[in-house]
Coordinates of all heavy atoms in Angstrom, one line a residue:
M1 N 0.9 -1.2 0.0 CA 0.0 0.0 0.1 C 1.0 1.2 0.1 O 1.9 1.3 0.7 CB -0.9 0.0 1.3 CG -1.7 1.2 1.5 SD -2.8 1.2 2.8 CE -2.3 0.1 3.9
T2 N 0.6 2.1 -0.8 CA 1.3 3.5 -0.9 C 0.8 4.5 0.2 O -0.3 4.6 0.4 CB 1.1 4.1 -2.3 OG1 1.4 3.2 -3.2 CG2 1.9 5.4 -2.4
E3 N 1.8 5.1 0.8 CA 1.5 6.1 1.9 C 1.5 7.4 1.2 O 2.4 7.8 0.5 CB 2.4 6.0 3.0 CG 2.3 4.8 3.9 CD 0.9 4.7 4.6 OE1 0.4 5.7 5.0 OE2 0.4 3.6 4.6
H4 N 0.4 8.2 1.4 CA 0.3 9.5 0.8 C 0.4 10.5 1.9 O 0.3 10.2 3.1 CB -1.1 9.7 0.1 CG -1.3 8.7 -1.0 ND1 -0.7 8.9 -2.2 CD2 -1.8 7.4 -1.1 CE1 -1.1 7.8 -3.0 NE2 -1.7 7.0 -2.3
S5 N 0.6 11.8 1.6 CA 0.7 12.8 2.6 C -0.6 13.2 3.3 O -0.6 13.9 4.3 CB 1.4 14.0 2.1 OG 0.6 14.6 1.0
A6 N -1.7 12.8 2.6 CA -2.9 13.0 3.3 C -3.1 12.3 4.5 O -2.7 11.2 4.7 CB -4.2 12.7 2.3
C7 N -3.8 13.1 5.5 CA -4.0 12.3 6.8 C -5.4 11.8 7.0 O -5.7 11.1 7.9 CB -3.5 13.1 8.0 SG -4.3 14.7 8.1
L8 N -6.3 12.3 6.1 CA -7.7 11.9 6.3 C -8.4 12.1 5.0 O -8.0 12.8 4.1 CB -8.5 12.5 7.4 CG -8.6 14.0 7.4 CD1 -9.8 14.3 6.8 CD2 -8.5 14.4 8.8
V9 N -9.5 11.3 4.7 CA -10.4 11.5 3.7 C -11.8 11.9 4.2 O -12.3 11.3 5.1 CB -10.6 10.1 3.0 CG1 -11.6 10.2 1.9 CG2 -9.3 9.5 2.5
E10 N -12.2 13.0 3.7 CA -13.5 13.7 4.2 C -14.7 13.6 3.2 O -14.5 13.7 2.0 CB -13.5 15.1 4.5 CG -12.7 15.4 5.8 CD -12.8 16.9 6.3 OE1 -13.1 17.7 5.4 OE2 -12.6 17.1 7.4
I11 N -15.8 13.2 3.6 CA -17.1 13.1 2.9 C -18.0 14.3 3.4 O -18.1 14.4 4.6 CB -17.8 11.8 3.0 CG1 -17.1 10.6 2.6 CG2 -19.2 11.9 2.2 CD1 -17.7 9.3 3.0
F12 N -18.4 15.1 2.5 CA -19.4 16.2 2.9 C -20.4 16.4 1.7 O -20.1 15.9 0.7 CB -18.7 17.5 3.4 CG -17.7 18.1 2.3 CD1 -18.1 19.1 1.6 CD2 -16.4 17.5 2.1 CE1 -17.3 19.7 0.6 CE2 -15.6 18.2 1.1 CZ -16.0 19.2 0.5
G13 N -21.3 17.1 2.0 CA -22.4 17.4 1.0 C -23.3 18.5 1.3 O -23.3 19.0 2.4
G14 N -24.1 18.8 0.4 CA -25.1 19.8 0.7 C -26.1 20.0 -0.5 O -26.0 19.3 -1.5
V15 N -27.0 20.8 -0.4 CA -28.2 21.1 -1.3 C -27.8 22.2 -2.1 O -27.3 23.3 -1.5 CB -29.4 21.3 -0.6 CG1 -30.5 21.7 -1.7 CG2 -29.9 20.1 0.2
I16 N -27.8 22.1 -3.4 CA -27.5 23.2 -4.3 C -28.5 24.3 -4.2 O -29.7 23.9 -4.4 CB -27.3 22.6 -5.8 CG1 -26.1 21.7 -5.9 CG2 -27.2 23.8 -6.8 CD1 -26.2 21.0 -7.2
S17 N -28.1 25.4 -4.0 CA -29.1 26.5 -3.7 C -29.2 27.7 -4.7 O -29.9 28.6 -4.7 CB -28.9 27.1 -2.3 OG -27.6 27.7 -2.1
S18 N -28.1 27.6 -5.6 CA -28.1 28.6 -6.6 C -27.7 27.9 -8.0 O -27.1 26.9 -7.9 CB -27.1 29.7 -6.3 OG -25.9 29.3 -6.0
P19 N -27.8 28.6 -9.1 CA -27.4 28.1 -10.3 C -25.9 27.8 -10.4 O -25.1 28.6 -9.8 CB -27.8 29.1 -11.4 CG -28.2 30.2 -10.7 CD -28.3 29.9 -9.3
T20 N -25.5 26.7 -11.0 CA -24.1 26.4 -11.2 C -23.6 26.8 -12.6 O -24.3 26.6 -13.6 CB -24.0 24.8 -11.1 OG1 -24.5 24.4 -9.9 CG2 -22.5 24.5 -11.2
A21 N -22.5 27.4 -12.6 CA -21.8 27.9 -13.9 C -21.2 26.6 -14.6 O -20.4 26.0 -13.9 CB -20.9 29.0 -13.8
I22 N -21.5 26.4 -15.8 CA -20.9 25.3 -16.6 C -20.2 26.0 -17.6 O -20.8 26.6 -18.6 CB -22.0 24.4 -17.2 CG1 -22.8 23.7 -16.1 CG2 -21.4 23.3 -18.0 CD1 -24.0 22.8 -16.4
L23 N -18.9 25.6 -17.7 CA -18.0 26.1 -18.8 C -17.7 25.0 -19.7 O -17.3 23.9 -19.3 CB -16.8 26.6 -18.2 CG -16.9 27.7 -17.0 CD1 -15.6 28.1 -16.4 CD2 -17.5 29.0 -17.6
S24 N -17.7 25.4 -21.1 CA -17.4 24.4 -22.1 C -16.8 25.1 -23.3 O -16.8 26.3 -23.3 CB -18.7 23.5 -22.4 OG -19.6 24.3 -23.2
A25 N -16.6 24.2 -24.2 CA -16.0 24.8 -25.5 C -17.1 25.8 -26.1 O -16.7 26.7 -26.8 CB -15.6 23.7 -26.5
G26 N -18.3 25.5 -25.8 CA -19.4 26.3 -26.4 C -19.6 27.6 -25.6 O -20.5 28.4 -26.0
G27 N -18.9 27.7 -24.5 CA -19.1 29.0 -23.6 C -19.6 28.7 -22.4 O -19.5 27.6 -21.8
R28 N -20.1 29.7 -21.6 CA -20.5 29.7 -20.2 C -22.1 29.6 -20.2 O -22.7 30.5 -20.8 CB -20.0 30.8 -19.4 CG -20.4 30.8 -18.1 CD -19.7 32.0 -17.3 NE -20.0 32.1 -15.9 CZ -21.0 32.7 -15.4 NH1 -21.9 33.4 -16.1 NH2 -21.1 32.7 -14.1
R29 N -22.7 28.8 -19.4 CA -24.0 28.8 -19.2 C -24.3 28.5 -17.8 O -23.6 27.9 -17.0 CB -24.8 27.8 -20.2 CG -24.5 26.4 -19.9 CD -25.3 25.4 -20.9 NE -24.9 24.1 -20.7 CZ -25.6 23.3 -19.8 NH1 -26.6 23.7 -19.0 NH2 -25.2 22.0 -19.7
L30 N -25.6 28.8 -17.3 CA -25.9 28.6 -16.0 C -27.0 27.4 -16.0 O -27.8 27.3 -16.8 CB -26.6 29.8 -15.4 CG -25.7 31.0 -15.1 CD1 -26.6 32.2 -14.6 CD2 -24.5 30.7 -14.2
D31 N -26.7 26.4 -14.9 CA -27.7 25.3 -14.8 C -28.5 25.5 -13.7 O -28.1 25.6 -12.4 CB -26.6 24.0 -14.5 CG -27.5 22.8 -14.1 OD1 -28.8 22.7 -14.5 OD2 -26.9 21.9 -13.5
F32 N -29.9 25.8 -14.0 CA -30.8 26.0 -13.0 C -31.5 24.7 -12.5 O -32.2 24.6 -11.5 CB -31.9 27.0 -13.4 CG -31.3 28.3 -13.6 CD1 -30.8 28.8 -14.8 CD2 -31.4 29.2 -12.6 CE1 -30.3 30.1 -15.1 CE2 -30.9 30.7 -12.7 CZ -30.4 31.0 -14.0
A33 N -31.3 23.7 -13.4 CA -32.1 22.4 -13.1 C -31.6 21.7 -11.8 O -32.4 20.9 -11.2 CB -31.9 21.5 -14.3
S34 N -30.4 21.9 -11.4 CA -29.8 21.3 -10.2 C -30.2 21.9 -8.9 O -30.0 21.3 -7.9 CB -28.2 21.1 -10.3 OG -27.9 20.5 -11.4
I35 N -30.8 23.1 -8.9 CA -31.2 23.6 -7.7 C -32.1 22.7 -6.9 O -33.1 22.2 -7.4 CB -31.8 25.1 -7.9 CG1 -30.9 26.0 -8.6 CG2 -32.4 25.7 -6.6 CD1 -31.4 27.4 -9.0
G36 N -31.8 22.6 -5.6 CA -32.6 21.7 -4.7 C -32.1 20.3 -4.6 O -32.6 19.6 -3.7
S37 N -31.2 19.9 -5.5 CA -30.6 18.5 -5.4 C -29.4 18.5 -4.6 O -28.7 19.5 -4.3 CB -30.4 18.0 -6.9 OG -29.3 18.7 -7.4
W38 N -29.2 17.2 -4.0 CA -28.0 17.0 -3.2 C -26.7 16.8 -4.0 O -26.9 16.1 -5.1 CB -28.3 15.8 -2.3 CG -28.9 16.2 -1.0 CD1 -30.2 16.2 -0.8 CD2 -28.3 16.5 0.2 NE1 -30.5 16.6 0.5 CE2 -29.3 16.7 1.1 CE3 -27.0 16.7 0.6 CZ2 -29.1 17.1 2.5 CZ3 -26.7 16.9 1.9 CH2 -27.8 17.2 2.9
R39 N -25.6 17.2 -3.5 CA -24.3 17.0 -4.2 C -23.3 16.5 -3.0 O -23.3 17.1 -2.0 CB -23.8 18.2 -4.9 CG -22.7 17.9 -5.9 CD -23.2 17.4 -7.2 NE -22.1 17.0 -8.0 CZ -22.4 16.3 -9.1 NH1 -23.6 15.9 -9.5 NH2 -21.3 16.1 -9.9
F40 N -22.6 15.5 -3.3 CA -21.6 14.9 -2.2 C -20.2 15.1 -2.8 O -19.9 15.0 -4.0 CB -22.0 13.6 -1.9 CG -23.3 13.4 -1.4 CD1 -24.4 13.1 -2.2 CD2 -23.5 13.6 0.0 CE1 -25.7 12.9 -1.7 CE2 -24.9 13.4 0.5 CZ -25.9 13.1 -0.3
F41 N -19.3 15.2 -1.9 CA -17.9 15.5 -2.2 C -17.0 14.6 -1.4 O -17.3 14.3 -0.2 CB -17.5 17.0 -1.9 CG -18.4 17.9 -2.7 CD1 -19.6 18.4 -2.2 CD2 -18.1 18.2 -4.0 CE1 -20.4 19.3 -2.8 CE2 -18.9 19.2 -4.6 CZ -20.1 19.6 -4.1
V42 N -15.9 14.2 -1.9 CA -14.9 13.4 -1.2 C -13.5 14.2 -1.4 O -13.1 14.3 -2.6 CB -14.8 12.0 -1.7 CG1 -13.6 11.2 -1.0 CG2 -16.0 11.2 -1.4
D43 N -13.0 14.6 -0.4 CA -11.6 15.3 -0.3 C -10.6 14.5 0.4 O -10.8 14.0 1.5 CB -11.7 16.7 0.3 CG -12.5 17.7 -0.5 OD1 -12.9 17.3 -1.6 OD2 -12.5 18.9 -0.1
A44 N -9.3 14.6 -0.1 CA -8.2 14.2 0.6 C -7.6 15.4 1.3 O -7.4 16.4 0.7 CB -7.1 13.5 -0.2
V45 N -7.3 15.3 2.5 CA -6.9 16.5 3.4 C -5.5 16.1 4.0 O -5.4 15.0 4.7 CB -7.8 16.8 4.4 CG1 -7.4 18.1 5.2 CG2 -9.2 17.0 4.0
D46 N -4.5 16.8 3.7 CA -3.1 16.6 4.3 C -3.0 17.2 5.7 O -3.9 17.8 6.2 CB -2.0 17.0 3.4 CG -1.8 18.5 3.3 OD1 -2.4 19.2 4.1 OD2 -0.9 18.9 2.5
Q47 N -1.9 16.9 6.4 CA -1.6 17.4 7.7 C -1.6 18.8 7.9 O -2.0 19.4 9.0 CB -0.3 16.9 8.3 CG -0.2 15.4 8.4 CD 0.7 14.6 7.4 OE1 1.3 15.3 6.6 NE2 0.8 13.3 7.6
E48 N -1.4 19.6 6.8 CA -1.5 21.1 6.9 C -2.8 21.6 6.5 O -3.0 22.9 6.5 CB -0.5 21.6 5.9 CG 0.9 21.2 6.3 CD 2.0 21.7 5.3 OE1 1.7 22.3 4.3 OE2 3.2 21.4 5.6
G49 N -3.9 20.8 6.3 CA -5.1 21.2 6.0 C -5.4 21.5 4.5 O -6.5 22.0 4.1
V50 N -4.5 21.2 3.7 CA -4.7 21.4 2.2 C -5.6 20.3 1.7 O -5.4 19.2 2.0 CB -3.3 21.3 1.5 CG1 -3.5 21.4 0.0 CG2 -2.3 22.4 1.9
R51 N -6.6 20.7 0.9 CA -7.6 19.8 0.4 C -7.4 19.6 -1.2 O -7.0 20.5 -1.8 CB -8.9 20.4 0.5 CG -9.4 20.5 1.9 CD -10.8 21.2 1.9 NE -11.2 21.1 3.3 CZ -11.8 20.1 3.9 NH1 -12.0 19.0 3.2 NH2 -12.1 20.1 5.1
I52 N -7.7 18.3 -1.6 CA -7.6 18.0 -2.8 C -8.9 17.2 -3.1 O -9.2 16.2 -2.5 CB -6.5 17.0 -3.3 CG1 -5.1 17.8 -3.0 CG2 -6.6 16.6 -4.7 CD1 -4.0 16.9 -3.2
S53 N -9.7 17.8 -4.0 CA -11.0 17.1 -4.4 C -10.8 15.8 -5.2 O -10.1 15.9 -6.2 CB -11.8 18.1 -5.3 OG -13.1 17.5 -5.6
M54 N -11.3 14.8 -4.7 CA -11.0 13.4 -5.3 C -12.3 12.9 -6.0 O -12.1 12.1 -6.9 CB -10.5 12.5 -4.1 CG -9.3 12.9 -3.5 SD -7.9 13.0 -4.5 CE -7.3 11.3 -4.6
W55 N -13.4 13.4 -5.7 CA -14.7 12.9 -6.3 C -15.7 13.8 -5.9 O -15.8 14.4 -4.8 CB -14.9 11.5 -5.7 CG -16.2 10.8 -6.3 CD1 -16.2 10.0 -7.5 CD2 -17.5 10.8 -5.8 NE1 -17.5 9.7 -7.7 CE2 -18.3 10.2 -6.7 CE3 -18.1 11.5 -4.7 CZ2 -19.7 10.1 -6.5 CZ3 -19.4 11.4 -4.5 CH2 -20.2 10.7 -5.4
D56 N -16.8 13.9 -6.8 CA -18.0 14.6 -6.4 C -19.1 13.9 -7.3 O -18.9 13.4 -8.4 CB -18.0 16.1 -6.6 CG -18.0 16.5 -8.1 OD1 -16.9 16.6 -8.6 OD2 -19.1 16.8 -8.6
G57 N -20.3 13.9 -6.8 CA -21.5 13.3 -7.5 C -22.8 13.4 -6.6 O -22.8 14.0 -5.6
A58 N -23.8 12.9 -7.2 CA -25.1 13.1 -6.6 C -25.4 11.9 -5.7 O -26.5 11.9 -4.9 CB -26.2 13.1 -7.7
S59 N -24.6 10.8 -5.7 CA -24.8 9.6 -4.9 C -24.1 9.6 -3.6 O -22.9 9.5 -3.6 CB -24.6 8.4 -5.7 OG -24.6 7.3 -4.8
Y60 N -24.7 9.6 -2.4 CA -24.1 9.4 -1.1 C -23.4 8.0 -1.1 O -22.3 7.9 -0.6 CB -25.0 9.6 0.0 CG -24.6 9.4 1.4 CD1 -23.4 10.2 1.8 CD2 -25.1 8.6 2.2 CE1 -23.0 10.1 3.1 CE2 -24.7 8.4 3.6 CZ -23.6 9.2 3.9 OH -23.1 9.0 5.3
E61 N -24.1 7.0 -1.5 CA -23.5 5.7 -1.5 C -22.2 5.7 -2.4 O -21.3 5.1 -1.9 CB -24.5 4.8 -2.0 CG -24.1 3.2 -2.1 CD -25.1 2.3 -2.5 OE1 -26.1 2.3 -2.1 OE2 -24.8 1.6 -3.6
D62 N -22.2 6.3 -3.5 CA -21.0 6.3 -4.3 C -19.8 7.1 -3.5 O -18.6 6.8 -3.6 CB -21.2 6.9 -5.7 CG -21.9 6.0 -6.6 OD1 -22.1 4.7 -6.2 OD2 -22.4 6.3 -7.6
A63 N -20.2 8.2 -2.9 CA -19.2 9.0 -2.1 C -18.7 8.1 -1.0 O -17.4 8.1 -0.8 CB -19.9 10.1 -1.4
I64 N -19.4 7.3 -0.4 CA -18.9 6.4 0.7 C -18.0 5.3 0.0 O -16.8 5.2 0.6 CB -20.0 5.6 1.4 CG1 -20.8 6.7 2.3 CG2 -19.5 4.5 2.3 CD1 -22.1 6.1 2.8
K65 N -18.3 4.7 -1.1 CA -17.5 3.8 -1.7 C -16.2 4.4 -2.1 O -15.0 3.8 -2.0 CB -18.1 3.2 -2.9 CG -19.3 2.3 -2.6 CD -20.0 1.8 -3.9 CE -21.2 1.1 -3.6 NZ -22.0 0.6 -4.8
N66 N -16.2 5.6 -2.7 CA -14.9 6.3 -3.2 C -14.1 6.6 -2.0 O -12.8 6.4 -2.1 CB -15.2 7.5 -3.9 CG -15.5 7.2 -5.3 OD1 -14.7 7.0 -6.2 ND2 -16.8 7.0 -5.8
A67 N -14.6 7.1 -0.9 CA -13.8 7.4 0.3 C -13.2 6.2 1.0 O -12.0 6.1 1.3 CB -14.8 8.2 1.4
E68 N -13.9 5.1 1.0 CA -13.4 3.8 1.5 C -12.2 3.4 0.6 O -11.2 2.8 1.2 CB -14.5 2.8 1.7 CG -15.4 3.2 2.8 CD -16.6 2.2 3.0 OE1 -16.8 1.5 2.0 OE2 -17.3 2.3 4.0
E69 N -12.4 3.5 -0.6 CA -11.3 3.0 -1.6 C -10.1 3.8 -1.3 O -9.0 3.3 -1.3 CB -11.8 3.1 -3.0 CG -10.8 2.6 -4.0 CD -11.3 2.7 -5.5 OE1 -12.5 2.7 -5.7 OE2 -10.5 2.8 -6.4
L70 N -10.2 5.1 -1.3 CA -9.0 6.0 -0.9 C -8.4 5.7 0.4 O -7.2 5.7 0.5 CB -9.5 7.5 -1.0 CG -9.9 8.1 -2.4 CD1 -10.5 9.5 -2.2 CD2 -8.6 8.2 -3.3
S71 N -9.2 5.4 1.3 CA -8.7 4.9 2.6 C -7.8 3.7 2.5 O -6.7 3.6 3.1 CB -9.7 4.8 3.7 OG -9.3 4.5 4.9
R72 N -8.4 2.7 1.8 CA -7.6 1.4 1.6 C -6.3 1.7 0.9 O -5.4 1.0 1.0 CB -8.5 0.5 0.8 CG -9.6 -0.3 1.7 CD -10.2 -1.3 1.0 NE -10.8 -1.0 -0.4 CZ -12.0 -0.5 -0.5 NH1 -12.8 -0.4 0.5 NH2 -12.4 -0.2 -1.7
E73 N -6.3 2.7 0.0 CA -5.0 3.0 -0.8 C -4.1 3.8 0.1 O -3.0 4.3 -0.5 CB -5.5 3.8 -2.1 CG -6.2 2.9 -3.1 CD -6.6 3.7 -4.3 OE1 -6.3 4.8 -4.4 OE2 -7.4 3.1 -5.1
G74 N -4.3 4.1 1.4 CA -3.4 4.8 2.1 C -3.6 6.2 2.4 O -2.6 6.9 2.9
F75 N -4.7 6.7 2.0 CA -5.0 8.2 2.2 C -5.4 8.6 3.6 O -5.7 9.8 3.8 CB -6.0 8.7 1.1 CG -5.5 8.9 -0.2 CD1 -5.4 7.9 -1.2 CD2 -4.9 10.2 -0.6 CE1 -4.9 8.0 -2.4 CE2 -4.5 10.4 -1.9 CZ -4.4 9.2 -2.7
G76 N -5.6 7.7 4.5 CA -6.0 8.0 5.8 C -7.5 7.5 6.2 O -8.2 7.0 5.3
A77 N -7.8 7.8 7.3 CA -9.1 7.4 7.9 C -10.2 8.3 7.2 O -10.0 9.4 6.8 CB -9.3 7.6 9.4
V78 N -11.4 7.7 7.1 CA -12.6 8.4 6.5 C -13.3 9.1 7.7 O -13.7 8.5 8.6 CB -13.5 7.4 5.8 CG1 -14.8 8.1 5.3 CG2 -12.8 6.7 4.7
V79 N -13.6 10.4 7.4 CA -14.5 11.3 8.3 C -15.7 11.5 7.5 O -15.6 12.3 6.5 CB -13.8 12.5 8.7 CG1 -14.7 13.4 9.6 CG2 -12.4 12.1 9.4
D80 N -16.9 11.1 8.0 CA -18.1 11.4 7.2 C -18.8 12.5 7.9 O -19.5 12.3 8.9 CB -18.9 10.1 7.2 CG -20.2 10.2 6.4 OD1 -20.6 11.3 6.1 OD2 -20.7 9.1 6.0
N81 N -18.7 13.7 7.2 CA -19.3 14.9 7.9 C -20.8 15.0 7.5 O -21.5 15.7 8.2 CB -18.6 16.2 7.2 CG -17.2 16.3 7.9 OD1 -17.1 16.3 9.1 ND2 -16.2 16.5 7.0
V82 N -21.3 14.1 6.6 CA -22.7 14.1 6.4 C -23.4 13.5 7.6 O -24.5 14.0 8.0 CB -23.0 13.3 5.0 CG1 -24.5 13.1 4.9 CG2 -22.3 13.9 3.8
L83 N -22.9 12.3 8.1 CA -23.5 11.7 9.3 C -23.3 12.6 10.6 O -24.2 12.7 11.4 CB -22.9 10.5 9.5 CG -23.2 9.2 8.5 CD1 -22.5 8.0 8.9 CD2 -24.7 9.1 8.5
T84 N -22.1 13.2 10.7 CA -21.8 13.9 12.0 C -22.3 15.3 11.9 O -22.3 16.0 13.0 CB -20.3 14.0 12.2 OG1 -19.6 14.6 11.2 CG2 -19.7 12.6 12.3
G85 N -22.7 15.9 10.7 CA -23.1 17.2 10.6 C -22.0 18.2 10.6 O -22.1 19.4 10.7
G86 N -20.8 17.8 10.6 CA -19.6 18.6 10.4 C -19.5 19.3 9.1 O -20.1 19.0 8.2
A87 N -18.7 20.4 9.2 CA -18.5 21.2 7.9 C -17.1 21.0 7.5 O -16.2 20.7 8.2 CB -18.7 22.6 8.1
A88 N -16.9 21.1 6.1 CA -15.6 21.1 5.5 C -14.8 22.2 5.8 O -15.3 23.3 6.0 CB -15.6 20.6 4.1

């Protein structure tokens, strides 16, 4: 197993409350359809508090799977802020 400088893996999420800007080769547009839906994030956090986004998506179950996989790969223990109500 490879050891990484990250000391933990965090899961957090929230409800989208404003339009999201989508940038593409066709330009910039706002996505209003996602307002009110949940989004989950998995970050690797090193000892200095530096975050690297490792995954994001609409499925809490997939967030858990991705966080556990990162933990098995040596990124540290999983902290589930969705369950604990903690903030990133």
Side-chain angles (χ1 to χ4, degrees):
M1 170 171 29
T2 305
E3 289 300 319
H4 301 277
S5 62
C7 61
L8 60 92
V9 178
E10 283 191 342
I11 302 171
F12 57 100
V15 176
I16 298 172
S17 61
S18 60
T20 305
I22 298 174
L23 305 174
S24 68
R28 181 179 181 268
R29 67 180 176 86
L30 294 176
D31 173 20
F32 291 90
S34 297
I35 294 174
S37 64
W38 274 87
R39 197 79 183 166
F40 299 94
F41 305 88
V42 175
D43 285 1
V45 185
D46 73 8
Q47 290 113 357
E48 296 174 3
V50 176
R51 296 178 169 279
I52 299 173
S53 177
M54 303 298 280
W55 180 89
D56 73 271
S59 169
Y60 178 54
E61 183 176 303
D62 287 345
I64 293 169
K65 289 177 184 176
N66 278 275
E68 289 174 347
E69 182 178 336
L70 288 168
S71 182
R72 283 191 303 274
E73 291 176 2
F75 281 89
V78 175
V79 175
D80 189 338
N81 289 310
V82 175
L83 287 180
T84 64

